[in-house]
């Protein structure tokens, strides 16, 4: 399980350093809520993985530019059902009974019980997949 933030994670935010504190707050909350978690840094996203990928952070522009806060991160998670919440910016049924959800957060206050419930549910869903 990852605990200290890696140089790879920090480098991911090289061009958007103002968003790093948002990621750090979310990362800490996910590590506390969804343990065990492996963090994988890719070119376009940072993935949260247990048995399978269950969530990610990216800069995917799921809102029009004028509607995105500055700074922001896009949080992605997968569930067996579609979440009906105005917080969700986009969702798609990627496979039958597998919905990918995207939402943008622009402040640490948005890393709340509701978001962490979805992340925990996504982690449990991913861990139970074959």
């Amino acid at each position: 399980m990852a605990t200290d933030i890696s140089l790879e994670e920090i480098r991911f935010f090289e061009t958007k350093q103002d968003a790093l504190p948002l990621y750090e707050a979310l990362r800490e909350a996910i590590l506390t809520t969804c343990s065990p978690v492996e963090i994988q840094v890719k070119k376009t996203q940072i993935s949260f993985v247990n048995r399978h990928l269950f969530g990610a952070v990216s800069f995917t522009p799921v809102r029009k530019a004028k509607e995105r806060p500055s700074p922001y991160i896009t949080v992605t998670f997968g569930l067996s059902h579609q979440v009906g919440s105005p917080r969700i910016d986009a969702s798609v049924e990627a496979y039958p009974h597998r919905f990918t959800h995207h939402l943008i957060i622009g402040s640490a206050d948005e890393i709340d019980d509701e978001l962490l419930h979805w992340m925990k549910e996504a982690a449990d869903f991913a861990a139970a997949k074959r």
Side-chain angles (χ1 to χ4, degrees):
M1 179 172 98
T3 52
D4 294 332
I5 192 162
S6 71
L7 188 55
E8 284 181 301
E9 289 170 281
I10 293 168
R11 283 187 181 142
F12 182 85
F13 291 90
E14 200 166 55
T15 61
K16 298 185 187 225
Q17 292 179 356
D18 54 346
L20 181 58
L22 291 173
Y23 170 73
E24 289 174 319
L26 178 66
R27 178 188 190 278
E28 182 179 330
I30 288 173
L31 290 175
T32 301
T33 305
C34 304
S35 180
V37 179
E38 179 185 339
I39 296 173
Q40 299 174 352
V41 181
K42 310 287 185 183
K43 185 175 180 178
T44 61
Q45 73 180 31
I46 298 175
S47 302
F48 298 103
V49 179
N50 51 28
R51 216 169 142 224
H52 298 281
L53 185 144
F54 67 86
V57 167
S58 68
F59 296 107
T60 303
V62 293
R63 283 186 205 160
K64 294 178 182 176
K66 65 182 179 183
E67 297 172 3
R68 291 192 298 260
S70 181
Y72 80 93
I73 56 175
T74 301
V75 179
T76 301
F77 59 91
L79 295 174
S80 63
H81 60 280
Q82 191 166 26
V83 173
S85 168
R87 293 181 69 181
I88 304 297
D89 290 292
S91 65
V92 63
E93 188 173 15
Y95 297 97
H97 307 291
R98 292 186 185 184
F99 291 84
T100 301
H101 301 79
H102 304 281
L103 67 110
I104 287 180
I105 61 171
S107 80
D109 294 341
E110 295 175 84
I111 303 166
D112 59 8
D113 290 344
E114 182 178 48
L115 175 58
L116 293 176
H117 171 78
W118 292 330
M119 297 305 291
K120 174 68 171 135
E121 190 177 356
D124 292 345
F125 178 58
K129 288 181 194 173
R130 290 187 198 193

